[in-house]
Amino acid sequence: MKKITVFATALFTFSNLLLAACGNANISTTTTNNSSTKGVSAAIPIGIAVSQTSNVALLGQEEVAGAKIAEKYFNTRGGVNGTPIKLVFQDAGGDENSAINAFQTLINKDKVVGIVGPTLSQQAFSADPIADRAQVPVIGPSNTAKGIPEIGDYVARVSAPVSVVAPNAVKAAIQKNPRLKKVAVFYAQNDAFSKSETEIFQKTVRDLGLDLITVQKFQTTDTDFQAQATNALNLKPDLIIISGLAADGGNLIRQLRELGYKGIIIGGNGLNTANVFKVCKALCDGVMIAQAYSPEHPGEINRSFRQAYLQQYKTEPPQFSAQTFTAVQVFVEALKSLDKKTKISTLPLKQLRIQLNKELLAGKYDTPLGEIAFTPEGEVIQKEFYVAQIKMQPNGNDGKFAFLK
Amino acid sequence: MNISLILQQFLNGLSIGSVYAIFALGYTLVYSILGIINLAHGAIFTLGAYFTYALMGGRFGFNGLLANAALAVQLPFALALIVGSILAGLVGVVVERIAFLPLRQRGSDPLLTVVSSLGVAVVIVNLIQYLVGAESYTYPENTYGNLPPAINFGSADNPIPIRTVQVVIFIVSAVFVAILTYFINNTKHGKAMQAIAEDATTASLLGINCDRAIVFTFFISSFLAGVAGSLVASSVSIAGPYFGIAFGLRGLAVIVLGGLGSIPGAVLGGLFIGVVEAFVPAQYSGYKDAVAFGILFIILLVRPQGLLGRRLIQKV
């Protein structure tokens, strides 16, 4: 009997470990790695609440990298009219609670002027309302689901919504194979973003007159997709479209190819990261993904950003890094133009946040993503989109996104 | 669901079930000897997968302390699997020395040891992320040499394709179960472990070195976790430092289902849960855990001692 009690307690403690593992919010990961900041009190704090732990850290790590490059870039160019900025990092974990905690700490303890984050749309729907109620401007670096800017007046995003980006990939696939007809769609049903993305993909498929032969569902935590893959492949599709995240999507691509699928595969935005290469290796080759960013964009600021990124991380900057850089840039430039009107050092924090929000929505920005602006709701207005195809080295160890014209 | 799909899912279930089995055997061995559950077992599983990856010459990503690091060696999978699992086994021994031994010497309540092992799990998982980041890692392309990516178990008209990885996993797991069974029943060390499981005090009176047997048990247990981790990673990649948590829970279900402390029970429980999970329709994959634990619940209502557990279990 005693053993059973011990066991029951063990199971209970273990499930607590699970919770702890998912919600590392109590662990403060504030970093103030800033060499160019002279006095901490003088620097303007901007919050970065992205996923530094959990399985979403895969994406969050890229965002941290983009933010750090932005901090250095703008501070070496005089910060906000001579005052440096200071990025305050709080881990938004992989779930809603961690994101909420990170937001609250940034707003109340770190007293930031605005927040860049969170990583997932799923998290944004619960964390953004908190910032909105506190009247703190938020810029989403990677939230692409429907309805994000509509959360509130203080919520904007630099990540173009999936409804604008996704259809480009399907059109590019038709260009590659004009005879394609039968389309199979896969999506992760436990992820808000993937669900919203698959609706756009399915609508696009129907609008373009293709046959949607099957819709297969999975979970982002799944690793075995043989059942879904076999079900779909029995119907002989010419095109497969996947909305999921990097690890699950990569495994699905691998298993589809191993089970003999030869046609075109389109990946959604969740697969838009070099982390997919590590999962499906050589089998990733040829997967097409619509992009909101191209490292080859000719603008001056993108050249500097790309160069700094290559120098530091020895790899091309991914979209999430570019978008986070852009989000920081929007804050810096809006602070600059606000400062010219009213000295921001004279404004109380509450006023500063409110004014900053107005200012940033009104501005136009020349960013690594190209020229962007915002609608009054905070939706990004972006002009250029791209479709890239994954090109892997034959040994499968490294690859890149090759941009299609 | 047609017949070929049923057969395919059954084979898939056997494959993943065989991994559950060797993973759960590790839990069972430690439980038999010490009467506790080692909750660091899932973390060791993860660690074994990373060791094997590194030994195959895999390079780590740019996040974490060991950014872009890679070992100079490039072992073939079979060798990397063995060496990686031995390393995992050694880590298991270190864990025993640090987290279990001091408490045992003090005669603490077994529950404290369980909590202590939980602490070790948290440390290992976070250490992995600190060192090599949270990225996924996949074993090199040529992991299985020149074997085709899938094997057709059906005919040309009615194919039942099974990924080669799944077949390899099943065979390797079966071999390890056979070796372990032989070892426990036919060698001096194995018999010593059985004696300690039966009654530690009597065994030590008869001249068996309990301390050494415990260290040895931890080694074998963690070695098996390392094998399981590497096999799963060769099929579906290392999903990150949290990769072993789900297996940790599944393993607990397996040993309770099979009967605590019973080796055939762990094997049977593993295969059973693997096959049951495989038959959860794909679109409801989120309910796999619910089905596995639901069945566990029902079986425990009918047979509280588990499938092969007995009142007086012949442990190990």
Side-chain angles (χ1 to χ4, degrees), chain A residues 3 17-18 52 58 61 189 219 222 226 251 254 258 278-279 281, chain B residues 12 31 63 122 129 134-135 138 141 163 166 234 236 245 256 283 285:
Chain A
K3 280 183 179 161
L17 165 70
L18 271 183
Q52 289 170 277
L58 215 60
Q61 283 171 343
Q189 55 184 338
Q219 308 268 329
D222 282 354
Q226 290 173 103
N251 265 316
R254 175 179 171 185
E258 285 183 349
K278 295 183 191 138
V279 184
K281 298 231 158 176
Chain B
N12 283 335
Y31 181 83
N63 295 294
V122 175
Q129 177 165 353
E135 293 104 312
T138 300
E141 292 296 309
R163 296 169 66 217
Q166 307 283 87
S234 78
V236 297
I245 289 180
V256 176
Q283 65 268 37
S285 62

PDB file of all heavy atoms in Angstrom, chain A residues 3 17-18 52 58 61 189 219 222 226 251 254 258 278-279 281, chain B residues 12 31 63 122 129 134-135 138 141 163 166 234 236 245 256 283 285:
ATOM      1  N   LYS A   3       3.769   1.567  -1.150  1.00  0.00           N
ATOM      2  CA  LYS A   3       4.372   1.774  -2.465  1.00  0.00           C
ATOM      3  C   LYS A   3       3.404   2.483  -3.401  1.00  0.00           C
ATOM      4  O   LYS A   3       3.801   3.323  -4.191  1.00  0.00           O
ATOM      5  CB  LYS A   3       4.796   0.444  -3.051  1.00  0.00           C
ATOM      6  CG  LYS A   3       6.113   0.027  -2.438  1.00  0.00           C
ATOM      7  CD  LYS A   3       6.653  -1.210  -2.996  1.00  0.00           C
ATOM      8  CE  LYS A   3       7.986  -1.506  -2.309  1.00  0.00           C
ATOM      9  NZ  LYS A   3       8.398  -2.861  -2.439  1.00  0.00           N
ATOM     10  N   LEU A  17       5.891  18.675 -12.628  1.00  0.00           N
ATOM     11  CA  LEU A  17       7.099  18.994 -13.402  1.00  0.00           C
ATOM     12  C   LEU A  17       6.689  19.435 -14.795  1.00  0.00           C
ATOM     13  O   LEU A  17       7.211  20.398 -15.338  1.00  0.00           O
ATOM     14  CB  LEU A  17       8.010  17.761 -13.501  1.00  0.00           C
ATOM     15  CG  LEU A  17       9.092  17.858 -14.570  1.00  0.00           C
ATOM     16  CD1 LEU A  17      10.150  18.875 -14.201  1.00  0.00           C
ATOM     17  CD2 LEU A  17       9.731  16.514 -14.826  1.00  0.00           C
ATOM     18  N   LEU A  18       5.703  18.713 -15.341  1.00  0.00           N
ATOM     19  CA  LEU A  18       5.223  19.069 -16.673  1.00  0.00           C
ATOM     20  C   LEU A  18       4.758  20.511 -16.693  1.00  0.00           C
ATOM     21  O   LEU A  18       5.105  21.290 -17.557  1.00  0.00           O
ATOM     22  CB  LEU A  18       4.040  18.184 -17.039  1.00  0.00           C
ATOM     23  CG  LEU A  18       4.369  16.879 -17.738  1.00  0.00           C
ATOM     24  CD1 LEU A  18       3.089  16.180 -18.093  1.00  0.00           C
ATOM     25  CD2 LEU A  18       5.177  17.148 -18.986  1.00  0.00           C
ATOM     26  N   GLN A  52      11.485  32.027 -24.883  1.00  0.00           N
ATOM     27  CA  GLN A  52      12.887  31.641 -24.743  1.00  0.00           C
ATOM     28  C   GLN A  52      13.030  30.216 -24.229  1.00  0.00           C
ATOM     29  O   GLN A  52      14.110  29.643 -24.276  1.00  0.00           O
ATOM     30  CB  GLN A  52      13.606  32.620 -23.808  1.00  0.00           C
ATOM     31  CG  GLN A  52      13.784  33.985 -24.463  1.00  0.00           C
ATOM     32  CD  GLN A  52      14.279  35.031 -23.486  1.00  0.00           C
ATOM     33  OE1 GLN A  52      13.507  35.619 -22.748  1.00  0.00           O
ATOM     34  NE2 GLN A  52      15.577  35.234 -23.471  1.00  0.00           N
ATOM     35  N   LEU A  58      12.117  27.388 -30.170  1.00  0.00           N
ATOM     36  CA  LEU A  58      12.633  27.222 -31.522  1.00  0.00           C
ATOM     37  C   LEU A  58      12.441  28.506 -32.339  1.00  0.00           C
ATOM     38  O   LEU A  58      13.343  28.975 -33.023  1.00  0.00           O
ATOM     39  CB  LEU A  58      11.803  26.118 -32.163  1.00  0.00           C
ATOM     40  CG  LEU A  58      12.447  25.170 -33.115  1.00  0.00           C
ATOM     41  CD1 LEU A  58      13.566  24.436 -32.434  1.00  0.00           C
ATOM     42  CD2 LEU A  58      11.391  24.163 -33.562  1.00  0.00           C
ATOM     43  N   GLN A  61      13.908  31.901 -30.213  1.00  0.00           N
ATOM     44  CA  GLN A  61      15.350  32.138 -30.295  1.00  0.00           C
ATOM     45  C   GLN A  61      15.691  33.037 -31.485  1.00  0.00           C
ATOM     46  O   GLN A  61      16.548  33.906 -31.399  1.00  0.00           O
ATOM     47  CB  GLN A  61      16.092  30.817 -30.450  1.00  0.00           C
ATOM     48  CG  GLN A  61      16.200  30.034 -29.153  1.00  0.00           C
ATOM     49  CD  GLN A  61      16.749  28.630 -29.357  1.00  0.00           C
ATOM     50  OE1 GLN A  61      16.762  28.103 -30.467  1.00  0.00           O
ATOM     51  NE2 GLN A  61      17.204  28.018 -28.286  1.00  0.00           N
ATOM     52  N   GLN A 189      -4.458  20.768 -35.482  1.00  0.00           N
ATOM     53  CA  GLN A 189      -5.736  21.259 -34.988  1.00  0.00           C
ATOM     54  C   GLN A 189      -5.633  21.880 -33.598  1.00  0.00           C
ATOM     55  O   GLN A 189      -6.572  22.497 -33.128  1.00  0.00           O
ATOM     56  CB  GLN A 189      -6.764  20.129 -34.985  1.00  0.00           C
ATOM     57  CG  GLN A 189      -6.311  18.923 -34.204  1.00  0.00           C
ATOM     58  CD  GLN A 189      -7.301  17.791 -34.296  1.00  0.00           C
ATOM     59  OE1 GLN A 189      -8.463  18.021 -34.576  1.00  0.00           O
ATOM     60  NE2 GLN A 189      -6.876  16.576 -34.061  1.00  0.00           N
ATOM     61  N   GLN A 219      -1.747  16.894 -34.390  1.00  0.00           N
ATOM     62  CA  GLN A 219      -1.414  17.764 -33.253  1.00  0.00           C
ATOM     63  C   GLN A 219       0.034  18.216 -33.400  1.00  0.00           C
ATOM     64  O   GLN A 219       0.864  17.458 -33.901  1.00  0.00           O
ATOM     65  CB  GLN A 219      -1.515  16.986 -31.928  1.00  0.00           C
ATOM     66  CG  GLN A 219      -2.805  16.250 -31.723  1.00  0.00           C
ATOM     67  CD  GLN A 219      -3.820  17.089 -30.993  1.00  0.00           C
ATOM     68  OE1 GLN A 219      -3.474  17.932 -30.180  1.00  0.00           O
ATOM     69  NE2 GLN A 219      -5.072  16.877 -31.300  1.00  0.00           N
ATOM     70  N   ASP A 222       2.455  15.683 -32.121  1.00  0.00           N
ATOM     71  CA  ASP A 222       2.571  14.357 -32.744  1.00  0.00           C
ATOM     72  C   ASP A 222       3.948  14.158 -33.377  1.00  0.00           C
ATOM     73  O   ASP A 222       4.584  15.122 -33.804  1.00  0.00           O
ATOM     74  CB  ASP A 222       1.534  14.210 -33.861  1.00  0.00           C
ATOM     75  CG  ASP A 222       0.145  13.927 -33.318  1.00  0.00           C
ATOM     76  OD1 ASP A 222       0.037  13.745 -32.099  1.00  0.00           O
ATOM     77  OD2 ASP A 222      -0.804  13.900 -34.110  1.00  0.00           O
ATOM     78  N   GLN A 226       2.131   8.482 -39.995  1.00  0.00           N
ATOM     79  CA  GLN A 226       1.980   7.494 -41.056  1.00  0.00           C
ATOM     80  C   GLN A 226       0.528   7.244 -41.411  1.00  0.00           C
ATOM     81  O   GLN A 226       0.203   7.038 -42.575  1.00  0.00           O
ATOM     82  CB  GLN A 226       2.653   6.199 -40.646  1.00  0.00           C
ATOM     83  CG  GLN A 226       4.155   6.357 -40.619  1.00  0.00           C
ATOM     84  CD  GLN A 226       4.821   5.127 -40.055  1.00  0.00           C
ATOM     85  OE1 GLN A 226       5.357   4.329 -40.776  1.00  0.00           O
ATOM     86  NE2 GLN A 226       4.783   4.984 -38.754  1.00  0.00           N
ATOM     87  N   ASN A 251       8.629  16.544 -39.569  1.00  0.00           N
ATOM     88  CA  ASN A 251       8.445  15.095 -39.505  1.00  0.00           C
ATOM     89  C   ASN A 251       7.410  14.616 -40.511  1.00  0.00           C
ATOM     90  O   ASN A 251       7.555  13.559 -41.114  1.00  0.00           O
ATOM     91  CB  ASN A 251       8.017  14.676 -38.104  1.00  0.00           C
ATOM     92  CG  ASN A 251       9.198  14.249 -37.263  1.00  0.00           C
ATOM     93  OD1 ASN A 251      10.060  13.519 -37.750  1.00  0.00           O
ATOM     94  ND2 ASN A 251       9.258  14.711 -36.034  1.00  0.00           N
ATOM     95  N   ARG A 254       8.957  14.550 -43.902  1.00  0.00           N
ATOM     96  CA  ARG A 254       9.851  13.406 -44.007  1.00  0.00           C
ATOM     97  C   ARG A 254       9.075  12.113 -44.234  1.00  0.00           C
ATOM     98  O   ARG A 254       9.405  11.304 -45.100  1.00  0.00           O
ATOM     99  CB  ARG A 254      10.663  13.321 -42.702  1.00  0.00           C
ATOM    100  CG  ARG A 254      11.548  12.116 -42.611  1.00  0.00           C
ATOM    101  CD  ARG A 254      12.319  12.124 -41.305  1.00  0.00           C
ATOM    102  NE  ARG A 254      13.013  10.859 -41.127  1.00  0.00           N
ATOM    103  CZ  ARG A 254      13.687  10.547 -40.034  1.00  0.00           C
ATOM    104  NH1 ARG A 254      13.766  11.396 -39.036  1.00  0.00           N
ATOM    105  NH2 ARG A 254      14.293   9.395 -39.926  1.00  0.00           N
ATOM    106  N   GLU A 258       9.135   9.559 -47.346  1.00  0.00           N
ATOM    107  CA  GLU A 258       9.565   8.172 -47.127  1.00  0.00           C
ATOM    108  C   GLU A 258       8.499   7.189 -47.599  1.00  0.00           C
ATOM    109  O   GLU A 258       8.809   6.098 -48.059  1.00  0.00           O
ATOM    110  CB  GLU A 258       9.879   7.930 -45.643  1.00  0.00           C
ATOM    111  CG  GLU A 258      11.202   8.537 -45.217  1.00  0.00           C
ATOM    112  CD  GLU A 258      11.572   8.258 -43.774  1.00  0.00           C
ATOM    113  OE1 GLU A 258      10.734   7.759 -43.005  1.00  0.00           O
ATOM    114  OE2 GLU A 258      12.719   8.554 -43.405  1.00  0.00           O
ATOM    115  N   LYS A 278      16.591  20.872 -40.052  1.00  0.00           N
ATOM    116  CA  LYS A 278      17.192  19.897 -39.151  1.00  0.00           C
ATOM    117  C   LYS A 278      16.287  18.703 -38.951  1.00  0.00           C
ATOM    118  O   LYS A 278      16.728  17.662 -38.499  1.00  0.00           O
ATOM    119  CB  LYS A 278      17.474  20.544 -37.796  1.00  0.00           C
ATOM    120  CG  LYS A 278      18.521  21.627 -37.904  1.00  0.00           C
ATOM    121  CD  LYS A 278      18.841  22.197 -36.544  1.00  0.00           C
ATOM    122  CE  LYS A 278      19.679  23.445 -36.688  1.00  0.00           C
ATOM    123  NZ  LYS A 278      19.246  24.486 -35.779  1.00  0.00           N
ATOM    124  N   VAL A 279      15.005  18.866 -39.242  1.00  0.00           N
ATOM    125  CA  VAL A 279      14.074  17.763 -39.000  1.00  0.00           C
ATOM    126  C   VAL A 279      13.964  16.860 -40.226  1.00  0.00           C
ATOM    127  O   VAL A 279      14.116  15.651 -40.130  1.00  0.00           O
ATOM    128  CB  VAL A 279      12.687  18.290 -38.592  1.00  0.00           C
ATOM    129  CG1 VAL A 279      11.771  17.133 -38.259  1.00  0.00           C
ATOM    130  CG2 VAL A 279      12.813  19.219 -37.406  1.00  0.00           C
ATOM    131  N   LYS A 281      15.829  17.244 -43.105  1.00  0.00           N
ATOM    132  CA  LYS A 281      17.104  17.127 -43.836  1.00  0.00           C
ATOM    133  C   LYS A 281      16.904  17.134 -45.350  1.00  0.00           C
ATOM    134  O   LYS A 281      16.182  17.966 -45.857  1.00  0.00           O
ATOM    135  CB  LYS A 281      17.840  15.880 -43.365  1.00  0.00           C
ATOM    136  CG  LYS A 281      18.187  15.978 -41.874  1.00  0.00           C
ATOM    137  CD  LYS A 281      19.615  15.682 -41.627  1.00  0.00           C
ATOM    138  CE  LYS A 281      20.039  16.281 -40.306  1.00  0.00           C
ATOM    139  NZ  LYS A 281      21.388  15.970 -39.945  1.00  0.00           N
TER     140      LYS A 281
ATOM    141  N   ASN B  12       2.996  -0.519 -36.749  1.00  0.00           N
ATOM    142  CA  ASN B  12       3.482   0.720 -36.159  1.00  0.00           C
ATOM    143  C   ASN B  12       3.393   0.682 -34.639  1.00  0.00           C
ATOM    144  O   ASN B  12       4.282   1.145 -33.933  1.00  0.00           O
ATOM    145  CB  ASN B  12       2.659   1.915 -36.660  1.00  0.00           C
ATOM    146  CG  ASN B  12       3.049   2.317 -38.066  1.00  0.00           C
ATOM    147  OD1 ASN B  12       4.161   2.048 -38.487  1.00  0.00           O
ATOM    148  ND2 ASN B  12       2.136   2.936 -38.777  1.00  0.00           N
ATOM    149  N   TYR B  31      12.941   0.094  -9.696  1.00  0.00           N
ATOM    150  CA  TYR B  31      11.852  -0.105  -8.738  1.00  0.00           C
ATOM    151  C   TYR B  31      12.040  -1.415  -7.979  1.00  0.00           C
ATOM    152  O   TYR B  31      11.830  -1.486  -6.762  1.00  0.00           O
ATOM    153  CB  TYR B  31      10.501  -0.102  -9.457  1.00  0.00           C
ATOM    154  CG  TYR B  31       9.353  -0.286  -8.507  1.00  0.00           C
ATOM    155  CD1 TYR B  31       8.836   0.800  -7.812  1.00  0.00           C
ATOM    156  CD2 TYR B  31       8.829  -1.553  -8.254  1.00  0.00           C
ATOM    157  CE1 TYR B  31       7.822   0.639  -6.894  1.00  0.00           C
ATOM    158  CE2 TYR B  31       7.808  -1.729  -7.337  1.00  0.00           C
ATOM    159  CZ  TYR B  31       7.306  -0.628  -6.663  1.00  0.00           C
ATOM    160  OH  TYR B  31       6.303  -0.800  -5.753  1.00  0.00           O
ATOM    161  N   ASN B  63      22.262  28.357 -31.063  1.00  0.00           N
ATOM    162  CA  ASN B  63      21.801  28.792 -29.752  1.00  0.00           C
ATOM    163  C   ASN B  63      22.415  27.880 -28.703  1.00  0.00           C
ATOM    164  O   ASN B  63      22.541  26.707 -28.913  1.00  0.00           O
ATOM    165  CB  ASN B  63      20.286  28.704 -29.674  1.00  0.00           C
ATOM    166  CG  ASN B  63      19.649  29.670 -30.632  1.00  0.00           C
ATOM    167  OD1 ASN B  63      19.764  30.877 -30.476  1.00  0.00           O
ATOM    168  ND2 ASN B  63      19.006  29.135 -31.659  1.00  0.00           N
ATOM    169  N   VAL B 122      14.786  18.054 -13.844  1.00  0.00           N
ATOM    170  CA  VAL B 122      14.695  19.478 -14.207  1.00  0.00           C
ATOM    171  C   VAL B 122      16.083  20.019 -14.561  1.00  0.00           C
ATOM    172  O   VAL B 122      16.254  20.741 -15.549  1.00  0.00           O
ATOM    173  CB  VAL B 122      14.067  20.284 -13.052  1.00  0.00           C
ATOM    174  CG1 VAL B 122      14.077  21.772 -13.378  1.00  0.00           C
ATOM    175  CG2 VAL B 122      12.640  19.820 -12.797  1.00  0.00           C
ATOM    176  N   GLN B 129      19.196  22.472 -22.671  1.00  0.00           N
ATOM    177  CA  GLN B 129      18.822  23.670 -23.428  1.00  0.00           C
ATOM    178  C   GLN B 129      19.920  24.730 -23.327  1.00  0.00           C
ATOM    179  O   GLN B 129      20.224  25.427 -24.287  1.00  0.00           O
ATOM    180  CB  GLN B 129      17.493  24.243 -22.938  1.00  0.00           C
ATOM    181  CG  GLN B 129      17.187  25.524 -23.707  1.00  0.00           C
ATOM    182  CD  GLN B 129      15.765  25.999 -23.591  1.00  0.00           C
ATOM    183  OE1 GLN B 129      14.902  25.339 -23.033  1.00  0.00           O
ATOM    184  NE2 GLN B 129      15.507  27.176 -24.135  1.00  0.00           N
ATOM    185  N   ALA B 134      17.295  24.950 -28.028  1.00  0.00           N
ATOM    186  CA  ALA B 134      16.020  24.227 -28.058  1.00  0.00           C
ATOM    187  C   ALA B 134      15.694  23.663 -29.430  1.00  0.00           C
ATOM    188  O   ALA B 134      14.601  23.189 -29.659  1.00  0.00           O
ATOM    189  CB  ALA B 134      14.895  25.155 -27.607  1.00  0.00           C
ATOM    190  N   GLU B 135      16.621  23.713 -30.356  1.00  0.00           N
ATOM    191  CA  GLU B 135      16.310  23.266 -31.706  1.00  0.00           C
ATOM    192  C   GLU B 135      16.084  21.763 -31.789  1.00  0.00           C
ATOM    193  O   GLU B 135      16.523  21.013 -30.930  1.00  0.00           O
ATOM    194  CB  GLU B 135      17.461  23.573 -32.670  1.00  0.00           C
ATOM    195  CG  GLU B 135      17.691  25.035 -32.903  1.00  0.00           C
ATOM    196  CD  GLU B 135      18.895  25.505 -32.155  1.00  0.00           C
ATOM    197  OE1 GLU B 135      18.988  25.177 -30.949  1.00  0.00           O
ATOM    198  OE2 GLU B 135      19.732  26.180 -32.750  1.00  0.00           O
ATOM    199  N   THR B 138      18.116  16.105 -36.146  1.00  0.00           N
ATOM    200  CA  THR B 138      17.817  14.838 -36.801  1.00  0.00           C
ATOM    201  C   THR B 138      19.115  14.111 -37.103  1.00  0.00           C
ATOM    202  O   THR B 138      20.107  14.751 -37.458  1.00  0.00           O
ATOM    203  CB  THR B 138      17.057  15.088 -38.117  1.00  0.00           C
ATOM    204  OG1 THR B 138      15.860  15.772 -37.800  1.00  0.00           O
ATOM    205  CG2 THR B 138      16.709  13.791 -38.810  1.00  0.00           C
ATOM    206  N   GLU B 141      21.423  11.504 -42.697  1.00  0.00           N
ATOM    207  CA  GLU B 141      20.672  10.776 -43.720  1.00  0.00           C
ATOM    208  C   GLU B 141      20.974   9.278 -43.742  1.00  0.00           C
ATOM    209  O   GLU B 141      20.102   8.455 -43.917  1.00  0.00           O
ATOM    210  CB  GLU B 141      21.039  11.316 -45.107  1.00  0.00           C
ATOM    211  CG  GLU B 141      20.563  12.716 -45.346  1.00  0.00           C
ATOM    212  CD  GLU B 141      19.062  12.798 -45.340  1.00  0.00           C
ATOM    213  OE1 GLU B 141      18.456  12.006 -46.063  1.00  0.00           O
ATOM    214  OE2 GLU B 141      18.511  13.639 -44.620  1.00  0.00           O
ATOM    215  N   ARG B 163       7.627   2.340 -42.626  1.00  0.00           N
ATOM    216  CA  ARG B 163       8.942   2.971 -42.661  1.00  0.00           C
ATOM    217  C   ARG B 163       9.983   2.000 -42.107  1.00  0.00           C
ATOM    218  O   ARG B 163       9.754   1.350 -41.083  1.00  0.00           O
ATOM    219  CB  ARG B 163       8.950   4.251 -41.838  1.00  0.00           C
ATOM    220  CG  ARG B 163       8.024   5.305 -42.401  1.00  0.00           C
ATOM    221  CD  ARG B 163       7.857   6.434 -41.421  1.00  0.00           C
ATOM    222  NE  ARG B 163       9.102   7.157 -41.230  1.00  0.00           N
ATOM    223  CZ  ARG B 163       9.511   7.656 -40.077  1.00  0.00           C
ATOM    224  NH1 ARG B 163       8.793   7.481 -38.990  1.00  0.00           N
ATOM    225  NH2 ARG B 163      10.632   8.321 -40.002  1.00  0.00           N
ATOM    226  N   GLN B 166      10.883   1.951 -38.442  1.00  0.00           N
ATOM    227  CA  GLN B 166      10.011   1.284 -37.491  1.00  0.00           C
ATOM    228  C   GLN B 166      10.421  -0.177 -37.317  1.00  0.00           C
ATOM    229  O   GLN B 166      10.413  -0.703 -36.216  1.00  0.00           O
ATOM    230  CB  GLN B 166       8.561   1.338 -37.981  1.00  0.00           C
ATOM    231  CG  GLN B 166       8.061   2.709 -38.325  1.00  0.00           C
ATOM    232  CD  GLN B 166       7.727   3.510 -37.086  1.00  0.00           C
ATOM    233  OE1 GLN B 166       8.602   4.165 -36.528  1.00  0.00           O
ATOM    234  NE2 GLN B 166       6.503   3.461 -36.652  1.00  0.00           N
ATOM    235  N   SER B 234      15.952   8.493 -33.909  1.00  0.00           N
ATOM    236  CA  SER B 234      16.304   8.114 -35.282  1.00  0.00           C
ATOM    237  C   SER B 234      15.048   8.054 -36.150  1.00  0.00           C
ATOM    238  O   SER B 234      15.113   8.178 -37.356  1.00  0.00           O
ATOM    239  CB  SER B 234      17.030   6.769 -35.301  1.00  0.00           C
ATOM    240  OG  SER B 234      16.102   5.715 -35.151  1.00  0.00           O
ATOM    241  N   VAL B 236      11.969   9.995 -35.388  1.00  0.00           N
ATOM    242  CA  VAL B 236      11.198  11.246 -35.468  1.00  0.00           C
ATOM    243  C   VAL B 236      11.996  12.468 -35.016  1.00  0.00           C
ATOM    244  O   VAL B 236      11.404  13.488 -34.694  1.00  0.00           O
ATOM    245  CB  VAL B 236       9.901  11.160 -34.638  1.00  0.00           C
ATOM    246  CG1 VAL B 236       9.002  10.096 -35.195  1.00  0.00           C
ATOM    247  CG2 VAL B 236      10.197  10.893 -33.176  1.00  0.00           C
ATOM    248  N   ILE B 245       9.797  14.030 -21.849  1.00  0.00           N
ATOM    249  CA  ILE B 245       8.781  14.137 -20.797  1.00  0.00           C
ATOM    250  C   ILE B 245       7.582  13.240 -21.078  1.00  0.00           C
ATOM    251  O   ILE B 245       7.128  12.491 -20.212  1.00  0.00           O
ATOM    252  CB  ILE B 245       8.345  15.606 -20.621  1.00  0.00           C
ATOM    253  CG1 ILE B 245       9.491  16.370 -19.969  1.00  0.00           C
ATOM    254  CG2 ILE B 245       7.092  15.690 -19.762  1.00  0.00           C
ATOM    255  CD1 ILE B 245       9.208  17.819 -19.726  1.00  0.00           C
ATOM    256  N   VAL B 256       2.919   0.323 -14.538  1.00  0.00           N
ATOM    257  CA  VAL B 256       1.766   0.063 -13.673  1.00  0.00           C
ATOM    258  C   VAL B 256       0.838  -0.944 -14.342  1.00  0.00           C
ATOM    259  O   VAL B 256       0.339  -1.873 -13.714  1.00  0.00           O
ATOM    260  CB  VAL B 256       1.012   1.376 -13.371  1.00  0.00           C
ATOM    261  CG1 VAL B 256      -0.235   1.086 -12.555  1.00  0.00           C
ATOM    262  CG2 VAL B 256       1.910   2.323 -12.619  1.00  0.00           C
ATOM    263  N   GLN B 283      -7.008  11.597 -36.615  1.00  0.00           N
ATOM    264  CA  GLN B 283      -7.491  12.955 -36.359  1.00  0.00           C
ATOM    265  C   GLN B 283      -7.776  13.200 -34.884  1.00  0.00           C
ATOM    266  O   GLN B 283      -7.975  14.324 -34.466  1.00  0.00           O
ATOM    267  CB  GLN B 283      -8.720  13.297 -37.216  1.00  0.00           C
ATOM    268  CG  GLN B 283      -9.956  12.487 -36.931  1.00  0.00           C
ATOM    269  CD  GLN B 283     -10.000  11.258 -37.828  1.00  0.00           C
ATOM    270  OE1 GLN B 283      -8.985  10.644 -38.130  1.00  0.00           O
ATOM    271  NE2 GLN B 283     -11.206  10.884 -38.247  1.00  0.00           N
ATOM    272  N   SER B 285      -5.550  12.276 -32.537  1.00  0.00           N
ATOM    273  CA  SER B 285      -4.279  11.911 -31.919  1.00  0.00           C
ATOM    274  C   SER B 285      -4.074  12.609 -30.582  1.00  0.00           C
ATOM    275  O   SER B 285      -3.330  12.138 -29.744  1.00  0.00           O
ATOM    276  CB  SER B 285      -3.123  12.226 -32.865  1.00  0.00           C
ATOM    277  OG  SER B 285      -3.095  13.612 -33.126  1.00  0.00           O
TER     278      SER B 285
END
